[in-house]
């Protein structure tokens, strides 16, 4: 059969191998016949591609848990899966509260990990800091460099994932810097750089114990806000790699000024952790909460963890602040459902460790839906994990190297 117009035979072969890998990764353990049925390729084509991966140790053959001979007494059916420890990936999230690093195998099992303080604001010092931490973690893993695919580094802000240049960031000194190339020049392994929330979305798709649908949104609430999209199993970055910056959608015209974008009433200005903490500090200063004032006196500054504790204890000022912030987040999630209608929206944020905030979010979502029933607007809450960003960055590397 002639290849599709515009594609050479070698292009078709590469595409077929990529599709075979994806079917195995997302459906394993899987038979050769199942791959044939999924893709419509011939069994000899499947066998040739699989044999090469078995030979290089990337794949392994397994017998079903209760293996039996095939109908008619023929050969037993062998199932295929990736050998998870064939290769590893390094993931790093350079976050606003901490820097996290992890080395995982192809399925997200952690070899080693580390949490270190926030990276320095100075660009050169930040590069030195990250490279030193990555080198230390790789040495600790005792892995041969040949078994490590590369390094994924996630940053908050607007990063062009093709050039690796930061176009906006929470540290002004990092803007317009060739981040990916500079890290690559200092490290012996390949480097990928992208927005940290987009990498978290890839981590949800690849490393989660439950299968994600092909199209879903990842709603991330932290110091800032983001909502990357996975569309038909492809991460959508947009024309200029700016997709997902939902935090700067205006949701309250005339509202507070956002220190990041300068607009009034964007979602980040009313519902991010930064906005919530600012409102809490103002409430303490105005004498609206004795509990917050005492927390400030005891700790020197407020944190999201402290506010959640105050909410659990029923502090009226904190409950009002969080109720308002969560309502706006719920409105925005309803807007996403109304506009895109994804199969699922995954919500990731520390504030949702309190059940009252999950309940408040879902009320606001359901009140603002159009055309969908509450059962059709599926939302999942991820348990908060400080390491999720590093795992997502490792998944980003595995996706690029293994699945293409």
């Amino acid at each position: 059969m002639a290849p599709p117009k515009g594609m050479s035979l070698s292009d078709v072969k590469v595409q077929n191998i990529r599709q075979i890998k994806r079917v195995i990764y997302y459906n394993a353990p899987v038979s050769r016949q199942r791959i044939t049925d999924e893709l419509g390729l011939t069994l000899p084509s499947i066998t040739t591609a699989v044999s090469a991966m078995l030979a290089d140790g990337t794949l392994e053959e397994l017998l079903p848990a209760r293996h039996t001979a095939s109908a008619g007494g023929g050969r037993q059916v062998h199932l295929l899966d990736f050998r998870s420890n064939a290769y590893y990936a390094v993931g790093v999230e350079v976050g606003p509260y901490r820097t996290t690093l992890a080395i995982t195998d192809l399925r997200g099992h952690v070899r080693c990990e580390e949490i270190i303080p926030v990276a320095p604001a100075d660009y050169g010092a930040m590069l030195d800091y990250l490279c030193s931490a990555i080198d230390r973690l790789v040495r600790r893993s005792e892995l041969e460099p040949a078994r490590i695919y590369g390094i994924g580094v996630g940053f908050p802000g607007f990063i062009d994932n093709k050039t690796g240049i930061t176009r906006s960031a929470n540290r002004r000194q990092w803007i317009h810097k060739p981040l990916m190339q500079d890290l690559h020049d200092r490290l012996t392994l390949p480097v990928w750089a992208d927005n940290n929330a987009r990498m978290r979305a890839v981590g949800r798709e690849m490393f989660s114990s439950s299968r994600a649908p092909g199209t879903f949104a990842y709603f991330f609430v932290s110091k800032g806000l983001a909502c990357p999209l996975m569309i038909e199993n492809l991460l959508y970055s947009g024309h200029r790699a700016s997709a997902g910056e939902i935090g700067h959608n205006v949701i309250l015209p005339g509202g507070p000024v956002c220190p990041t974008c300068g607009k009034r009433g964007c979602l980040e200005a009313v519902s991010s952790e930064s906005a919530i903490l600012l409102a809490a500090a103002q409430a303490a200063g105005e004498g609206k909460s004795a509990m917050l004032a005492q927390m400030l006196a005891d700790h020197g500054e407020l944190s999201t963890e402290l506010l959640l504790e105050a909410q659990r204890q029923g502090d009226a000022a904190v409950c009002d602040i969080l109720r308002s912030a969560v309502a706006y987040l719920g409105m925005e999630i309803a807007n996403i459902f109304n506009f895109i209608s994804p199969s699922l929206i995954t919500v990731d944020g520390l504030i949702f460790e309190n059940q009252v905030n999950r309940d408040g979010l879902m009320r606001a979502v359901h009140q603002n839906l159009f055309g969908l029933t509450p059962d059709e607007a599926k939302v999942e809450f991820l348990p908060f994990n400080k390491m999720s960003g590093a795992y997502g960055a490792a998944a980003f590397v595995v996706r690029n190297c293994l699945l293409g």
Side-chain angles (χ1 to χ4, degrees), residues 321-345:
I321 290 167
L322 283 166
R323 187 182 303 113
S324 174
V326 166
Y328 286 119
L329 294 174
M331 290 178 198
E332 193 62 44
I333 287 176
N335 289 341
I336 297 168
F337 275 121
N338 294 340
F339 182 56
I340 302 170
S341 192
S343 302
L344 173 73
I345 295 182

Side-chain angles (χ1 to χ4, degrees), residues 14-238:
V14 169
Q15 179 175 301
N16 287 346
I17 292 173
R18 182 182 299 121
Q19 290 177 325
I20 291 167
K21 286 180 175 180
R22 286 176 178 267
V23 171
I24 295 172
Y25 193 90
Y26 293 114
N27 298 280
V30 62
S31 68
R32 289 167 175 80
Q33 187 60 53
R34 168 76 183 278
I35 302 169
T36 300
D37 294 341
E38 288 272 340
L39 300 178
L41 300 174
T42 65
L43 192 55
S45 297
I46 302 294
T47 299
T48 300
V50 164
S51 296
M53 288 186 279
L54 287 169
D56 69 17
T58 307
L59 281 184
E60 60 182 347
E61 285 190 298
L62 309 166
L63 283 174
R66 297 180 62 185
H67 58 275
T68 58
S70 62
R75 291 181 57 192
Q76 293 173 337
V77 175
H78 286 75
L79 304 180
L80 299 167
D81 195 359
F82 284 102
R83 190 161 59 86
S84 62
N85 62 354
Y87 292 97
Y88 291 81
V90 180
V92 182
E93 182 178 55
V94 185
Y97 303 121
R98 65 192 70 86
T99 301
T100 57
L101 306 94
I103 297 179
T104 77
D105 68 13
L106 300 183
R107 292 291 186 182
H109 305 121
V110 179
R111 175 83 174 202
C112 54
E113 63 185 32
E114 186 174 0
I115 299 177
I116 58 177
V118 175
D122 178 77
Y123 181 72
M126 179 269 292
L127 293 176
D128 291 340
Y129 185 72
L130 292 187
C131 291
S132 175
I134 291 168
D135 284 340
R136 182 172 64 247
L137 195 71
V138 170
R139 287 196 305 271
R140 204 175 105 204
S141 75
E142 299 182 342
L143 291 168
E144 298 174 10
R147 295 184 63 198
I148 300 177
Y149 274 146
I151 303 159
V153 186
F155 288 82
F158 180 177
I159 297 173
D160 189 324
N161 57 6
K162 295 181 178 63
T163 65
I165 294 175
T166 52
R167 296 183 59 179
S168 72
N170 58 358
R171 302 295 181 90
R172 303 247 176 230
Q173 300 94 319
W174 303 354
I175 298 175
H176 304 310
K177 297 293 197 304
L179 177 69
M180 191 160 61
Q181 186 62 51
D182 286 343
L183 285 171
H184 179 73
D185 290 344
R186 293 169 181 240
L187 297 163
T188 58
L189 294 166
V191 176
W192 287 263
D194 205 336
N195 174 269
N196 64 322
R198 285 206 286 261
M199 288 183 160
R200 283 171 174 257
V202 174
R204 166 63 184 91
E205 188 216 20
M206 295 189 65
F207 287 173
S208 178
S209 59
S210 62
R211 177 80 182 271
T215 298
F216 71 95
Y218 192 98
F219 197 87
F220 181 48
V221 182
S222 183
K223 187 172 184 179
L225 289 134
C227 187
L229 304 174
M230 191 73 71
I231 300 176
E232 295 183 354
N233 296 113
L234 295 175
L235 184 63
Y236 182 69
S237 298

Side-chain angles (χ1 to χ4, degrees), residues 219-228 242-252 256 258-272 275 329 332 336:
F219 197 87
F220 181 48
V221 182
S222 183
K223 187 172 184 179
L225 289 134
C227 187
S242 61
E245 291 292 343
I246 204 165
H248 302 293
N249 286 359
V250 174
I251 197 164
L252 181 63
C258 173
T260 302
C261 71
K263 292 185 291 190
R264 283 190 173 274
C266 70
L267 192 64
E268 192 166 304
V270 297
S271 293
S272 65
L329 294 174
E332 193 62 44
I336 297 168

Side-chain angles (χ1 to χ4, degrees), residues 346-365:
T346 294
V347 177
D348 180 6
L350 177 58
I351 65 171
F352 296 108
E353 289 298 282
N354 279 4
Q355 185 63 45
V356 64
N357 295 329
R358 297 187 181 198
D359 295 341
L361 183 90
M362 295 310 301
R363 278 195 301 273
V365 170

